[in-house]
Amino acid sequence: MSTAVTTHRPRPAAQPATLRAKRLPWYAAPAIALAALVVAAAVVYGVGIGGPVLVVVLAAVLYLAGLFAAANAVEGRRSARNRTWSALIHSAFVLAVLPLASVVWTLVSNGFERLDGNFFFTSMNNIGARDPEGGAYHAIVGTLEQVGIATLITVPLGILCAIYVVEYGRGRFAFAIRFFVDVMTGIPSIVSGLFVLAFWVLIVSPWFNDGRPSFSGFAAALALSVLMLPTVVRSTEEMLRLVPAPLREGAYALGVPKWKTILRVVLPTALPGIVTGVMLAIARAAGETAPVLLVAGGGAAINFNPFENNQSSLALFVYQQAGDASRYAPARAWTAALTLVALVLILTIAAKLLARRNRLGR
């Protein structure tokens, strides 16, 4: 007679209630923020010690303190510290975005008044102080030509210089290049304008102008290229250094020459970062006023020839209109500033899309 042996598996122990973490409800943080804002407004405006800025600052402090206290009481000290630091990080992000949003809103709200065809397709030639018309067509043309010429000069030279420093440069000469590039990074814009004024305008330009010095948009482009060059060199150098060494070694192992490795492997890999550095340099050059004023002279008429006569730019147009006594000048200045920002933004987006397309094509 056989006896069946039954085995009983032990049941899993029930999870203790203490292991179930308590959490603040989803509405706790917004409620604390609203309460902090109300209390801060009551204190600031009740005592009369400040305005909206102080209300926001005090509300932020009260919000952090209230969030820490509530989380500490419900979730524990560790979770409270985590929530507080997360709130600080988000607050830092908002603090960084607020000035940018304020600038964009100020430009759009003030520059919208003169966003019309007359502004974009007429110049300030024969425009008096009491004339509400007049635009920045001549300044737009000057900016595009000056920045375009400066880019054509700077980008090849800067990229070649960075390639030499990273791929070939050794010893004192490469160290000297890095040193002088770093020094040029901190040169004020007016110094580059004075350099081009003393060299090109006063010495070189008389050879092509019957012995008389002359302002020109090309001289402004030379001054802008001096400002753009260190940015292009340093950004390209850093991007080339970030290219992984195994990519180069794999090409060398296949028998690819070094120059072709740089051209077909290294540069395409670093292209997005190089484009970003170039656009930063272009944005800086497009917003410079002093070099254009010193060597291009500015002007109210349209000049399509960058090698002869005075030429204006959007940055110089903003400077001149902001100091004009005409009641219609501030609107022109705001619209020109908005146009300059939009122009740089459009060029940046176009360059990014082009770099991305080339990279995907490979």
Side-chain angles (χ1 to χ4, degrees), residues 40-98:
V43 171
V44 172
Y45 290 114
V47 181
I49 56 176
V53 176
L54 185 59
V55 170
V56 173
V57 173
L58 183 59
V61 175
L62 293 177
Y63 169 71
L64 292 175
L67 182 65
F68 179 82
N72 189 35
V74 177
E75 300 177 349
R77 189 173 185 84
R78 182 177 181 179
S79 180
R81 288 198 300 266
N82 180 62
R83 280 184 175 272
T84 304
W85 282 107
S86 298
L88 281 173
I89 294 173
H90 288 91
S91 301
F93 170 75
V94 173
L95 186 62
V97 170
L98 278 178

Side-chain angles (χ1 to χ4, degrees), residues 233-252:
V233 173
R234 291 298 295 172
S235 60
T236 304
E237 179 185 351
E238 294 302 324
M239 290 302 104
L240 293 179
R241 292 187 187 279
L242 291 178
V243 176
L247 291 179
R248 297 181 176 88
E249 295 169 356
Y252 297 154

